């Protein structure tokens, strides 16, 4: 069955969702542009401080008045499981909404993103009654224990690249642990978050417990600074993450989980073989979602004797990609999210080439396309460490290739001076597979693969300039809990 559809039959959602009702708002106008063809499809009225305040107060009040804060874990789990069932049941409708308004290809959304989103909700539902404290050994006259508690209201700020998945990651574990959520999706991709929250309410979540506010940076700042915010979870650029930290520190030193930028290396060891399979994995690592992935494998580091052959195979795969709109399943290269972001990629490429890099393929906009912003898959060689192409993430389909002569040099090249989100290591040696991840400065290291696998128990998060804290898995769940120490003196 083809998943192709007419995007003009899909209405974007630009409203806020507060107390279970859509609210238009009256803040500053933000035009909503469809990435695949540049069509104007709506206008967001950004949430100002008054509307953010209404959403936060609604969430805090509902959490207490509805009994969600004191509900049993099994009661919360029942609602979350019903929510997951509704995501499954409405997958085609939600998938078309997502594809029509974002960079996500419709087949990928329906068969991958939303399947994983529903699975993540079920995973956290199963965790709800398994949250434990601990008893601490002490004097015979007393008992000490750690008691987990929810923070209260979680301010969640999500990026544009995987809107549905990010909406779930930033709400389901928070709700499972007894918190309320106010979510701000990207102003570039506002629609699916509202529908996902509405499905949660339809499943039995108290209206007001999961609110959605639309807007750009000022709206996010108002969320972070709000006095009712118990914790912030943010995914986005490192520069914006630093501003979020500053806002949080100035208004009560609120705790944060930050997943920020990356310049993920794909490190090939000298023992590698089957270059065809290796090239396919590496190419997928920087081409998926047109490179708009925080963990995109944008730096290939390979032995000098293998680099040219491996690069040629990767270029062949890249050149076979077909640019096209997200509602056409024949397309294998989706658009860049906006003209502004595509122009940024153009500028970075021009500056990097001016600094001495060589374009091996690509480097331009895709020819004969409509008004959407499509960038050719691009492979660069000779990128200097001083250039913007090394220092910053393109967030587009761009791969830089580097040769090394010995293992120590390879590891030094893999460890970026700023970013430490993820790394991929390719080797046929069990000894290297076990030993070398300890020498890679990254929050996640994949060995003989690249990218998140379809599981929910594996935490993800970065080090250094790529942030701190984890999402998914037990660590991600516990990130929405604070642990209270209780000292009981019983004589």
């Amino acid at each position: 069955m083809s998943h192709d559809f007419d995007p003009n039959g899909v209405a974007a959602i630009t409203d806020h969702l507060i107390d279970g009702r859509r609210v238009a708002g009256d803040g500053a106008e933000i035009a909503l542009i469809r990435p695949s063809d540049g069509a104007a499809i709506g206008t967001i009225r950004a949430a100002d401080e008054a509307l953010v305040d209404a959403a936060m107060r609604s969430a805090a009040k509902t959490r207490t008045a509805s009994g969600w804060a004191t509900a049993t874990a099994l009661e919360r789990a029942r609602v979350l499981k019903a929510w997951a069932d509704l995501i499954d049941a409405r997958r085609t409708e939600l998938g078309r909404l997502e594809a029509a308004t974002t960079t996500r290809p419709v087949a990928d959304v329906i068969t991958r993103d939303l399947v994983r989103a529903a699975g993540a909700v079920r995973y956290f539902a199963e965790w709800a009654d398994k949250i434990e404290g601990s008893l601490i050994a002490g004097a015979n006259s007393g008992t000490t224990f750690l008691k987990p508690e929810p923070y209260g209201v979680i301010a969640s700020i999500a990026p544009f690249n995987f809107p549905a998945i990010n909406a779930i990651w930033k709400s389901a574990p928070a709700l499972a642990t007894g918190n309320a959520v106010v979510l701000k999706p990207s102003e570039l991709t506002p629609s699916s978050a509202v529908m996902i929250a509405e499905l949660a309410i339809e499943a039995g979540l108290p209206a007001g417990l999961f609110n959605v506010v639309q807007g750009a940076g000022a709206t996010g700042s108002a969320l972070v600074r709000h006095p009712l915010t118990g914790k912030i979870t943010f995914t986005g650029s490192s520069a914006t993450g630093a501003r979020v930290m500053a806002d949080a520190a100035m208004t009560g030193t609120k705790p944060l989980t930050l997943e920020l930028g990356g310049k993920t290396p794909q490190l090939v060891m000298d023992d590698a073989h089957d270059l065809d399979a290796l090239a396919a994995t590496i190419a997928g690592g920087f081409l998926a979602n047109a490179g708009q992935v925080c963990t995109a494998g944008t730096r290939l580091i390979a032995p000098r004797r293998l680099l040219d052959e491996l690069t040629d195979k990767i270029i062949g795969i890249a050149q076979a990609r077909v640019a096209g709109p997200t509602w056409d399943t024949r397309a294998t290269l989706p658009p860049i999210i906006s003209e502004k972001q595509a122009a940024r990629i153009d500028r970075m490429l021009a500056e990097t080439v001016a600094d001495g890099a060589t374009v091996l393929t690509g480097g331009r906009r895709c020819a004969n396309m409509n008004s959407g912003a499509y960038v050719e898959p691009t492979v660069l060689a000779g990128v200097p460490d001083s250039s913007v192409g090394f220092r910053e993430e393109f967030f587009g389909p761009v791969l830089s290739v580097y040769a090394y002569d010995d293992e120590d040099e390879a590891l030094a090249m893999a460890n970026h001076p700023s970013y430490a989100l993820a790394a991929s290591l390719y080797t046929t040696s069990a000894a290297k597979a076990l030993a070398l991840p300890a020498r890679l400065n990254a929050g996640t290291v994949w060995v003989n693969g690249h990218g998140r696998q379809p599981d929910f128990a594996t935490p993800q998060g970065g080090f250094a300039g790529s942030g701190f804290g984890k999402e998914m898995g037990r660590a991600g769940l516990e990130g929405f809990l604070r642990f209270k120490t209780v000292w009981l003196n019983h004589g």
Side-chain angles (χ1 to χ4, degrees):
M1 181 187 77
S2 173
H3 292 293
D4 291 5
F5 69 100
D6 179 2
N8 295 315
V10 178
I13 302 172
T14 58
D15 291 335
H16 317 277
L17 186 74
I18 301 175
D19 280 329
R21 297 187 300 274
R22 294 189 187 183
V23 178
D26 56 5
E29 293 187 356
I30 302 174
L32 183 60
I33 305 299
R34 193 160 58 196
S36 288
D37 62 2
I41 55 174
T43 301
I44 295 167
R45 300 300 299 266
D48 57 14
E49 296 209 7
L51 193 58
V52 167
D53 181 65
M56 293 297 295
R57 291 186 183 280
S58 162
K61 180 180 178 180
T62 303
R63 180 175 173 270
T64 302
S66 68
W68 189 259
T70 55
T72 68
L74 291 178
E75 288 174 317
R76 293 197 297 268
R78 177 186 57 77
V79 173
L80 265 65
K81 290 175 183 178
W83 182 21
D85 290 343
L86 284 174
I87 293 172
D88 278 337
R90 305 280 288 278
R91 203 162 69 222
T92 297
E93 178 187 357
L94 182 53
R96 288 178 175 178
L97 176 64
E98 181 90 326
T101 57
T102 77
T103 64
R104 300 297 298 136
V106 62
D108 287 357
V109 177
I110 292 175
T111 64
R112 176 189 181 278
D113 294 15
L114 294 176
V115 172
R116 293 188 180 188
V121 174
R122 292 191 180 95
Y123 172 81
F124 288 117
E126 293 294 342
W127 258 110
D129 65 347
K130 300 171 183 66
I131 299 166
E132 300 173 344
S134 58
L135 185 69
I136 300 170
N140 291 336
S141 61
T143 300
T144 307
F145 56 91
L146 285 180
K147 181 181 183 297
E149 294 181 347
Y151 280 100
V153 183
I154 304 298
S156 296
I157 304 175
F160 73 80
N161 53 353
F162 295 90
I165 287 178
N166 279 299
I168 293 299
W169 282 14
K170 294 190 177 300
S171 60
L175 295 168
T177 49
N179 295 284
V181 174
V182 178
L183 169 67
K184 190 198 84 66
S186 169
E187 70 278 14
L188 303 174
T189 55
S191 297
S192 58
V194 174
M195 185 173 175
I196 285 169
E198 289 177 330
L199 291 178
I201 295 167
E202 186 178 337
L205 194 76
L209 197 73
F210 183 6
N211 294 325
V212 179
V213 293
Q214 308 288 3
T219 301
S221 177
L223 266 180
V224 171
R225 292 183 287 104
H226 197 279
L228 289 177
T229 295
K231 180 177 179 176
I232 301 108
T233 171
F234 169 83
T235 299
S237 72
S238 296
T240 304
R243 291 196 292 273
V244 169
M245 286 185 70
D247 279 347
M250 292 174 65
T251 55
T253 59
K254 303 179 184 82
L256 306 98
T257 293
L258 300 177
E259 185 182 278
L260 307 177
K263 291 287 286 187
T264 297
Q266 300 202 65
L267 175 58
V268 177
M269 303 314 296
D270 193 62
D271 53 53
H273 60 267
D274 193 356
L275 296 191
D276 289 329
L278 188 57
T281 301
I282 293 169
F286 85 96
L287 293 175
N289 204 30
Q292 297 165 111
V293 184
C294 55
T295 56
T298 57
R299 295 186 296 134
L300 170 61
I301 300 167
R304 193 172 301 278
R305 69 177 185 85
L306 296 177
L307 182 63
D308 288 348
E309 183 181 359
L310 185 56
T311 299
D312 286 344
K313 292 179 182 295
I314 292 168
I315 288 173
I317 295 168
Q319 290 175 340
R321 290 291 176 114
V322 178
T326 51
W327 50 82
D328 184 348
T329 54
R330 294 169 298 180
T332 55
L333 182 74
I336 301 302
I337 186 62
S338 67
E339 174 58 34
K340 179 180 179 181
Q341 170 59 15
R344 175 182 175 274
I345 295 170
D346 293 341
R347 288 194 299 272
M348 288 182 63
L349 285 171
E351 290 177 23
T352 303
V353 170
D355 285 340
T358 300
V359 177
L360 302 182
T361 191
R364 298 167 298 184
R365 299 289 183 96
C366 296
N368 302 317
M369 296 304 297
N370 53 30
S371 297
Y374 296 83
V375 172
E376 291 179 341
T378 300
V379 179
L380 304 175
V383 175
D385 289 1
S386 58
S387 73
V388 68
F390 176 81
R391 298 193 315 271
E392 299 180 17
E393 55 181 345
F394 284 96
F395 227 65
V398 181
L399 177 72
S400 302
V401 302
Y402 305 85
Y404 71 84
D405 295 308
D406 62 68
E407 188 173 289
D408 288 339
E409 181 189 15
L411 291 164
M413 294 168 69
N415 289 328
H416 195 272
S418 303
Y419 296 109
L421 185 57
S424 289
L425 172 68
Y426 301 95
T427 180
T428 57
S429 164
K432 290 182 179 180
L434 292 170
L436 295 186
R439 298 177 64 187
L440 290 169
N441 186 27
T444 298
V445 178
W446 294 292
V447 180
N448 295 327
H450 182 87
R452 276 199 69 87
Q453 301 306 304
D455 74 272
F456 312 107
T458 305
Q460 177 175 301
F463 299 157
S466 294
F468 47 81
K470 297 292 185 182
E471 291 188 315
M472 296 302 295
R474 178 172 181 168
L477 182 88
E478 291 184 344
F480 292 100
L481 292 166
R482 57 187 184 182
F483 288 81
K484 178 179 289 183
T485 300
V486 178
W487 297 71
L488 175 61
N489 184 359
H490 46 71

